[in-house]
Amino acid sequence: MVKLTIDGKAIESKEGKTIIQAASDNNIVIPTLCYNEELTPTGSCRVCVVEVIADGVSTLVSSCDTPVKEGIEVYTNSENAIKARKYAIQMLYSQNSEAPAIRALAGKYNITEKLPVEESECIGCGRCYKVCSEVVERKCIDMSVGGLSNMNEKLSVKWNFDNCIACGACAYVCPTHAVSIHDEDGVRTMITPNAKHEFSMKKCSDCGKYYAPNVQIEWMKEKTGLSDDKFDRCMDCR
Amino acid sequence: MTNAIFSTWNDKLLDGRSSNTTFTSEQVGLPLTYAEDKDVNAIIGWSGIVLNNENTNIVSLACEYVKAVSMITCGECSIGFHGVKMSEDILNNLVQGTGSAGDADKLLYIIENMKSNTKCNFCSSAMKAVHDCLVYFKNDFEVASSPHEPYKKASVIVNVSAPCVEACPIHQDVPGYINLIKNGRYDDALELIKRNNPLPECSGNACMASCERNCVRKDIDKPVAIRALKRVACEYGTSNPVEPTKLNGEKVAIIGAGPAGIAAAKRLISLGYRPVIFEMNNGYGGMLSTGIPEYRLPQEIINKDYNEIIKLGAEFRGNTPISQVKDISGAYKATIICNGATLSRPSNIEGWTENDNGMYQGIHYLKSVYNKKIMPVSEHVVVVGGGNTTIDCARTALRQGATDVTILYRRTMSEMPAYKEEIDAAIKEGIKFEFLTIPVKVQRGENKVVEVVCQKIELGEPDESGRPRPIPIPGTEYTIYCDKILSCIGELPDTSIYGSKINLTDDGRVLTDKYGATSAKGIFAAGDCVNGPSSMAEAMASGKRAAEGVDLYLNKNSKIKQSKQEVFDTYHQAFLEKNVDEAFNFKMEKQESPVAELTYIRDNYEQVEKVLSKEQAEREAERCIKCYKVMMIARD
Ligand code: SF4
Ligand code: SF4
Ligand code: SF4
Ligand code: FES
């Protein structure tokens, strides 16, 4: 066990936990945006920033991807933490002032002024990337970034639809709805920040309703090893 | 001697502007000139700003610098990415004379916020220097914000590197290809690796990986598996098929097809020359094939890399030993000697007779095994030394049927220059080590070696190499029974082919300038014959440099940027330093390469290390924290 304090409260936490986990175990809420409990943290939005004093030295860290350490003092609402958090929210708000999740944060912290940055629905939080590689295990999404040899595009999420099973997990986790799925006339359309793709869907052999994209059913067959007839009806008729 | 008038480097504020004081390079902590005497006006980089010339335009300097930073910023957090972009825009306006009052304050607001809350250290530390400019040269920014004629663009040299990249002799963009692997982009990763690595397969399999020894992650948990990830890119990636290049340039002779020779050839092709490689062995690889055992680097892997360069346009003449350089150099405008270090240093063990039955120099032993001139026998083997050749010899001896193998090394395990993984593998295969021990005498029985007399050592003060000097302890002699003794104490080039015009160093290596030029006109040298026995990567770097030397020599309009190289060399040490705050980095488990379970070892040359799976590779790639650093030098 690791002993630390959060906002003056003495806390014990398991080694390997993050500061945000330790806080939430003790009913201390830290605002977040890119963080999702089911995924490993991306640490990209910086909203969860807190002030940490370790060995007398104060630093600001993102609480979602920083492990607890023996003896540290964490302040979730110190002046420095609030200042940094406000800027992080201002940055998000400047890119996308429509998304409800961002509006809520901006409202709470009184952010109205925007920074001169390009507006875009996608704020590069990386959740879609994480869910697709960690949960769905398809790795369709590319978040390669800058570097020495300029081989990488900047700040972009790119879909490789050859791998995609149109499950929609990415749309589900996206905090800004920059990814979405729409089913119509036997076609599932996936809209991503820079591309659109259509997937044909399978008809239920009983009721005739389109119920899932073909690629997804193929994938389920492969995963489960069950025969074709286990997958030819929709949820309702099964 | 240039001195600095102002510096914030390494968090040390030195300000001599009002008192007219200047500071030396030692005080600043950075070289202030490059190539011995060329002046630098200003240095700006990850640790601050240094000013040597008070007339430097700070605003235009900061602007150029942020442009460079903006090429690298990754976009994993918007605060860093957009922060750099916004700063670039503001600075650009200030330089163009289109800025407005309050710009300096806006810039300060953005940068102060970046300093405290970015995902990694790159943007925040890179922008610290601009912060310093704003704080200490406030007036310059205010002046710039009122309308004016555009400022003159500073003449600058930018270098981007990372501690791992800097430690790699060929400067592979390590974080770059690792990030591509993380995203499953194996083809691109391989393309990127090939940009400055002529032998991706060979180095992915058997590079000494000096990068890993300087990986920042090492201070957090364990270094990133940089070499194994390169092998991953070769294994799962396909790069564009090579097409023979149209070459109209001069023919250039290369003596020796080792890593230096082939790297020189590839660079020459890219510069338009037609390289002709003379090789004494039949096949490709030089020391890579005769000096690195098959279980580490199979010949077919070497062939893959070589075939590509041959296809690009290098001519290969195998089985063609050159007895005198001048025999061929006359027919070519330029010649690059890459004949390696293939002769052994004389052994000072009493009773040692060169290549006598049972006594071998390590590299000759490996070569004889490679050429199948030594057949497996059950016997006791002693190997002397502590480098990679020693371990290679010991593990090869085991495969040659030795019942037991003992390594004698005069220092301790932690001083062994051999690759850590190799030492571990040797231990696992049952090789014994006798540390702090030297052989003093070989005893012969009838027609063969029977035992070796050893003596214990104690370690004294560090010698020139920085390692403790070994001192024999009198009266500690003892004997080890053995049938064969292999000595691996370093190699020298075969100087007999050089003739009288090529000057040598005192210890018998070829003397060259930085671009491999020897004292003989039109004759260059690269690799182990210049540097003494060193790694594959060093040989490649040296070969490449010599090819550039040839271009500088033959081509009046050469595009080789010498001053850029001089600047890179000057600040090499600063780039090598690791300065990432590891306090809050998560430990992440390193993915180890799978190894073959050898059910028998005699005559088994199966490659021991296997390639990481894609899943392992992508997980391992997540461990890299992208420690890029940018530095910019302004001249006039
Ligand atoms: S819909 Fe496609 S991209 Fe999105 S999570 Fe599923 S498989 Fe991945
Ligand atoms: S598409 Fe959505 S989930 Fe994916 S990076 Fe952009 S904002 Fe995040
Ligand atoms: S963590 Fe990555 S960038 Fe940093 S030194 Fe290691 S390999 Fe290089
Ligand atoms: S919630 Fe921690 S960085 Fe986004």
Side-chain angles (χ1 to χ4, degrees):
Chain A
M1 291 304 256
V2 178
K3 288 200 187 78
L4 65 155
T5 67
I6 303 185
D7 293 339
K9 186 171 165 191
I11 275 172
E12 281 203 15
S13 174
K14 264 216 201 93
E15 190 155 355
K17 283 207 173 193
T18 56
I19 293 177
I20 207 166
Q21 285 166 340
S24 102
D25 291 345
N26 290 278
N27 300 320
I28 298 168
V29 181
I30 302 172
T32 59
L33 187 93
C34 67
Y35 181 57
N36 179 308
E37 283 165 35
E38 310 299 321
L39 306 172
T40 56
T42 62
S44 67
C45 78
R46 321 303 302 163
V47 169
C48 66
V49 59
V50 295
E51 184 166 358
V52 169
I53 299 179
D55 305 325
V57 185
S58 148
T59 30
L60 290 170
V61 301
S62 41
S63 57
C64 69
D65 63 353
T66 303
V68 291
K69 265 199 168 182
E70 183 67 35
I72 56 170
E73 298 165 36
V74 178
Y75 297 95
T76 67
N77 283 315
S78 66
E79 201 184 316
N80 286 337
I82 295 282
K83 204 174 142 224
R85 186 173 306 140
K86 276 186 152 177
Y87 182 78
I89 296 170
Q90 187 185 14
M91 180 60 81
L92 293 170
Y93 184 72
S94 315
Q95 293 172 79
N96 181 337
S97 54
E98 301 296 323
I102 296 174
R103 291 185 77 94
L105 284 168
K108 195 168 160 212
Y109 284 85
N110 285 326
I111 308 290
T112 47
E113 221 175 298
K114 286 189 190 175
L115 296 161
V117 299
E118 208 184 309
E119 298 199 9
S120 68
E121 270 193 295
C122 170
I123 46 134
C125 74
R127 273 196 197 175
C128 54
Y129 168 82
K130 289 277 179 180
V131 79
C132 191
S133 60
E134 290 172 4
V135 181
V136 192
E137 292 182 340
R138 298 299 293 179
K139 274 204 106 92
C140 312
I141 304 169
D142 181 354
M143 274 201 89
S144 318
V145 286
L148 181 49
S149 313
N150 293 319
M151 194 95 172
N152 309 317
E153 302 78 22
K154 307 291 164 84
L155 238 202
S156 72
V157 272
K158 269 206 334 226
W159 267 252
N160 171 3
F161 290 110
D162 292 346
N163 274 0
C164 179
I165 56 164
C167 68
C170 48
Y172 180 73
V173 297
C174 177
T176 65
H177 307 302
V179 198
S180 56
I181 54 170
H182 311 271
D183 292 349
E184 211 183 319
D185 298 335
V187 175
R188 172 167 291 183
T189 309
M190 276 188 59
I191 301 175
T192 73
N194 36 32
K196 218 161 116 168
H197 199 81
E198 295 185 342
F199 296 89
S200 66
M201 295 178 73
K202 198 170 171 69
K203 227 181 202 164
C204 170
S205 60
D206 278 3
C207 69
K209 195 172 76 187
Y210 289 104
Y211 70 96
N214 284 311
V215 276
Q216 191 179 336
I217 290 163
E218 288 307 314
W219 174 77
M220 290 199 288
K221 268 193 236 160
E222 201 188 296
K223 274 248 151 162
T224 55
L226 296 174
S227 60
D228 282 12
D229 56 323
K230 293 277 182 299
F231 294 100
D232 56 3
R233 269 165 297 174
C234 74
M235 283 304 197
D236 300 337
C237 302
R238 227 168 267 173
Chain B
M1 215 32 223
T2 317
N3 275 2
I5 180 105
F6 178 87
S7 170
T8 59
W9 200 258
N10 278 342
D11 286 328
K12 204 162 93 187
L13 176 65
L14 303 172
D15 189 349
R17 287 175 297 172
S18 50
S19 56
N20 252 327
T21 340
T22 60
F23 309 98
T24 62
S25 153
E26 284 71 46
Q27 287 170 299
V28 171
L30 269 187
L32 300 175
T33 51
Y34 65 97
E36 273 129 51
D37 58 351
K38 293 191 196 147
D39 283 344
V40 165
N41 278 347
I43 304 161
I44 178 165
W46 66 89
S47 183
I49 169 165
V50 182
L51 216 61
N52 300 339
N53 180 339
E54 228 181 330
N55 298 325
T56 310
N57 184 323
I58 294 286
V59 181
S60 136
L61 182 77
C63 182
E64 285 308 307
Y65 173 67
V66 174
K67 276 187 200 159
V69 173
S70 144
M71 304 286 282
I72 316 296
T73 169
C74 77
E76 282 202 18
C77 72
S78 330
I79 294 191
F81 183 80
H82 285 300
V84 172
K85 299 286 165 195
M86 287 188 289
S87 309
E88 192 185 342
D89 288 347
I90 296 175
L91 283 164
N92 219 356
N93 282 335
L94 292 177
V95 166
Q96 295 307 321
T98 51
S100 45
D103 273 0
D105 289 340
K106 268 188 225 154
L107 201 52
L108 197 62
Y109 173 69
I110 292 165
I111 295 173
E112 267 179 353
N113 276 299
M114 282 173 84
K115 269 176 63 186
S116 53
N117 193 17
T118 47
K119 177 172 173 178
C120 75
N121 245 337
F122 176 75
C123 294
S124 44
S125 70
M127 296 302 277
K128 172 191 171 284
V130 184
H131 186 259
D132 292 346
C133 293
L134 282 162
V135 171
Y136 297 106
F137 299 86
K138 199 160 180 250
N139 196 36
D140 299 38
F141 286 86
E142 263 150 31
V143 171
S145 58
S146 33
H148 60 79
E149 285 293 303
Y151 290 154
K152 187 172 150 254
K153 205 174 135 195
S155 145
V156 298
I157 292 174
V158 177
N159 192 11
V160 182
S161 189
C164 54
V165 178
E166 203 61 23
C168 166
I170 53 167
H171 285 77
Q172 287 263 269
D173 180 359
V174 173
Y177 78 75
I178 291 185
N179 188 248
L180 290 165
I181 290 175
K182 176 171 127 189
N183 281 281
R185 289 170 61 177
Y186 297 99
D187 299 354
D188 289 337
L190 182 56
E191 273 310 319
L192 180 55
I193 290 166
K194 281 179 154 186
R195 281 196 198 166
N196 43 4
N197 187 345
L199 303 173
E201 295 270 0
C202 294
S203 45
N205 279 272
C207 181
M208 294 249 307
S210 37
C211 53
E212 291 182 18
R213 297 183 190 208
N214 203 42
C215 172
V216 173
R217 186 94 220 172
K218 194 172 154 191
D219 300 342
I220 303 169
D221 38 36
K222 279 180 176 173
V224 175
I226 305 175
R227 183 185 53 76
L229 286 172
K230 184 175 296 164
R231 186 167 168 198
V232 156
C234 294
E235 186 82 18
Y236 305 124
T238 21
S239 56
N240 304 326
V242 292
E243 296 299 334
T245 356
K246 261 222 168 69
L247 302 168
N248 324 317
E250 298 287 350
K251 280 196 172 182
V252 176
I254 296 173
I255 301 174
I262 198 75
K266 182 155 186 205
R267 185 70 179 119
L268 285 169
I269 293 172
S270 72
L271 292 164
Y273 296 92
R274 291 176 292 164
V276 182
I277 308 172
F278 297 88
E279 165 60 38
M280 63 176 178
N281 294 324
N282 183 28
Y284 301 148
M287 274 293 256
L288 296 179
S289 67
T290 61
I292 304 181
E294 283 267 308
Y295 66 83
R296 273 214 295 138
L297 185 59
Q299 183 67 36
E300 65 266 23
I301 287 178
I302 302 174
N303 291 350
K304 263 204 231 167
D305 280 338
Y306 274 68
N307 279 329
E308 210 162 273
I309 298 169
I310 303 299
K311 198 168 163 207
L312 264 179
E315 186 182 328
F316 179 79
R317 299 199 191 152
N319 275 331
T320 318
I322 302 297
S323 54
Q324 282 301 309
V325 171
K326 65 175 180 346
D327 294 348
I328 55 159
S329 63
Y332 295 86
K333 283 266 160 61
T335 301
I336 307 178
I337 304 171
C338 308
N339 70 329
T342 51
L343 295 186
S344 317
R345 263 172 222 281
S347 172
N348 52 8
I349 309 174
E350 195 188 323
W352 179 274
T353 22
E354 195 68 43
N355 283 346
D356 192 5
N357 194 12
M359 282 179 251
Y360 290 92
Q361 296 286 356
I363 47 162
H364 292 159
Y365 172 73
L366 291 174
K367 190 169 175 180
S368 307
V369 171
Y370 172 79
N371 290 328
K372 309 233 163 9
K373 291 213 181 101
I374 297 184
M375 289 306 141
V377 274
S378 308
E379 58 185 354
H380 306 281
V381 178
V382 164
V383 190
V384 184
N388 284 302
T389 313
T390 306
I391 307 284
D392 286 344
C393 282
R395 294 178 72 192
T396 300
L398 216 54
R399 283 158 177 80
Q400 287 288 101
T403 45
D404 63 272
V405 180
T406 309
I407 290 176
L408 306 183
Y409 181 51
R410 55 194 179 143
R411 296 186 174 96
T412 69
M413 168 116 52
S414 54
E415 282 99 21
M416 283 184 90
Y419 199 40
K420 178 79 174 51
E421 272 87 339
E422 291 300 307
I423 300 174
D424 291 347
I427 294 171
K428 208 175 143 202
E429 288 176 2
I431 285 158
K432 287 183 284 191
F433 289 80
E434 300 262 333
F435 293 112
L436 297 171
T437 305
I438 51 161
V440 282
K441 189 173 173 190
V442 185
Q443 302 276 28
R444 299 177 52 98
E446 241 175 78
N447 254 332
K448 71 181 272 306
V449 173
V450 287
E451 59 189 25
V452 50
V453 180
C454 305
Q455 191 174 18
K456 282 298 186 189
I457 289 288
E458 66 187 347
L459 293 179
E461 292 298 305
D463 61 10
E464 316 82 59
S465 74
R467 294 178 302 175
R469 187 186 301 277
I471 306 163
I473 312 172
T476 54
E477 292 82 357
Y478 66 105
T479 54
I480 301 179
Y481 176 76
C482 69
D483 304 291
K484 191 178 266 158
I485 168 162
L486 310 172
S487 161
C488 313
I489 52 169
E491 295 85 27
L492 289 169
D494 177 1
T495 54
S496 66
I497 71 164
Y498 298 152
S500 58
K501 290 210 178 101
I502 297 170
N503 291 346
L504 302 180
T505 64
D506 292 344
D507 59 351
R509 293 171 291 122
V510 183
L511 192 65
T512 68
D513 71 5
K514 276 189 182 154
Y515 284 89
T518 69
S519 51
K521 216 165 156 342
I523 298 186
F524 295 76
D528 286 1
C529 67
V530 177
N531 303 322
S534 44
S535 69
M536 172 194 329
E538 273 168 281
M540 289 194 278
S542 152
K544 185 177 164 207
R545 197 67 87 103
E548 294 175 352
V550 167
D551 191 54
L552 288 166
Y553 168 70
L554 291 179
N555 177 2
K556 270 204 280 346
N557 305 316
S558 172
K559 295 210 170 59
I560 305 296
K561 298 199 178 81
Q562 289 188 69
S563 37
K564 207 167 175 171
Q565 193 59 55
E566 283 161 0
V567 168
F568 291 1
D569 293 348
T570 305
Y571 295 96
H572 175 63
Q573 201 51 44
F575 274 101
L576 271 181
E577 275 158 27
K578 299 184 272 180
N579 44 5
V580 165
D581 171 21
E582 44 96 19
F584 289 103
N585 267 305
F586 248 135
K587 291 193 175 20
M588 287 167 89
E589 198 193 334
K590 179 174 181 170
Q591 301 294 312
E592 302 289 352
S593 294
V595 290
E597 286 307 330
L598 303 179
T599 44
Y600 65 100
I601 201 155
R602 186 173 169 142
D603 226 7
N604 184 351
Y605 285 90
E606 177 185 347
Q607 195 175 7
V608 175
E609 193 192 291
K610 303 289 177 206
V611 67
L612 291 167
S613 70
K614 283 190 179 178
E615 289 69 33
Q616 278 185 303
E618 285 160 20
R619 209 169 316 147
E620 181 63 15
E622 297 262 0
R623 297 182 63 237
C624 171
I625 48 180
K626 286 192 257 120
C627 317
Y628 284 123
K629 307 203 260 189
V630 183
M631 184 193 271
M632 194 180 87
I633 309 301
R635 307 173 292 173
D636 37 87

